[in-house]
Structure formats: structure tokens, C-alpha cells
Amino acid sequence: MKNRSELREVAMKCLYQVYIMQPTKLEYDIKSIIHEQLEVENDFVNKVDKAILSIGIYELVFTDIPSIVAINEAVELSKKYSDEAVTKMINGVLDNIYHNEDLDER
């Protein structure tokens, strides 16, 4: 069984694939995408940043996961799949959402 960090990574990979397919109007089956859990080998993929940010925002706003954990997990994924500038941006955006939305520390 995967832990939460591993599950977040799987979710990020699935969202990445969906973001790639949507603009091309290709049909896809989300269940197949989840089961495939493809490895992302290209280091320069901007849509992966969007997927990481989407997961972080979702966890901040809609879950009972502690805000600091949601932010930290998104930052850790970004360190693995993005560069330092993107990691700083993701951290800043999530921190800004946290402070502006008055999200209680859960």
C-alpha cells in the first residue's frame, strides 16, 4: 500500500497526463491513466508544475490535511520534478492562498 506522499505523486502524474490530452481533444479513460502510472522522463514539462499546484491547492482548500503538510508535500514534489524557480513559485502561491483564505491550521 502506498503512503500519502506516494499517492500524491500518482495523482500528480495522472493530472499531468490529463492536462496533456485535454487540449489535443484526445479521448482518454481516467481509470486507464491511473492504472498505468507512467513515469515522467522528460525534465522539461511545464504541465507537471500545474498538476503539482492543483494538488496543493485542492489539499489546502478542500481537505483536512494540515496546511503545512499540504504545502510541504507540493514543494517536495516540485523539487523532484521541477527546477528551483518553479519550486519557489509553488511555495509562494500556496503560502499566499493559505494566508489569504484564512485557512485554520488543521
Side-chain angles (χ1 to χ4, degrees):
M1 177 139 218
K2 294 183 181 289
N3 63 35
R4 278 188 176 189
S5 293
E6 292 167 330
L7 290 171
R8 281 184 187 94
E9 189 168 346
V10 169
M12 183 272 303
K13 289 177 183 179
C14 293
L15 284 170
Y16 165 79
Q17 288 181 280
V18 169
Y19 293 150
I20 292 295
M21 291 180 184
Q22 280 179 336
T24 63
K25 306 289 189 223
L26 292 173
E27 289 188 27
Y28 58 90
D29 176 35
I30 192 65
K31 289 181 181 178
S32 296
I33 291 173
I34 292 169
H35 288 296
E36 289 171 10
Q37 298 179 25
L38 297 176
E39 288 294 321
V40 178
E41 295 183 15
N42 185 347
D43 290 333
F44 188 71
V45 286
N46 291 328
K47 295 205 188 277
V48 76
D49 307 326
K50 182 178 177 181
I52 293 168
L53 194 55
S54 295
I55 292 166
I57 292 169
Y58 177 82
E59 288 186 339
L60 272 177
V61 177
F62 298 110
T63 70
D64 61 352
I65 295 170
S67 298
I68 191 73
V69 172
I71 293 170
N72 187 55
E73 290 289 338
V75 167
E76 290 304 312
L77 274 174
S78 180
K79 285 178 182 177
K80 187 172 181 178
Y81 289 97
S82 296
D83 62 26
E84 187 177 341
V86 172
T87 298
K88 287 180 180 180
M89 181 272 304
I90 287 175
N91 186 46
V93 168
L94 294 177
D95 188 61
N96 194 343
I97 290 169
Y98 170 70
H99 284 89
N100 287 323
E101 292 294 321
D102 280 334
L103 300 173
D104 295 327
E105 190 60 35
R106 294 166 273 198

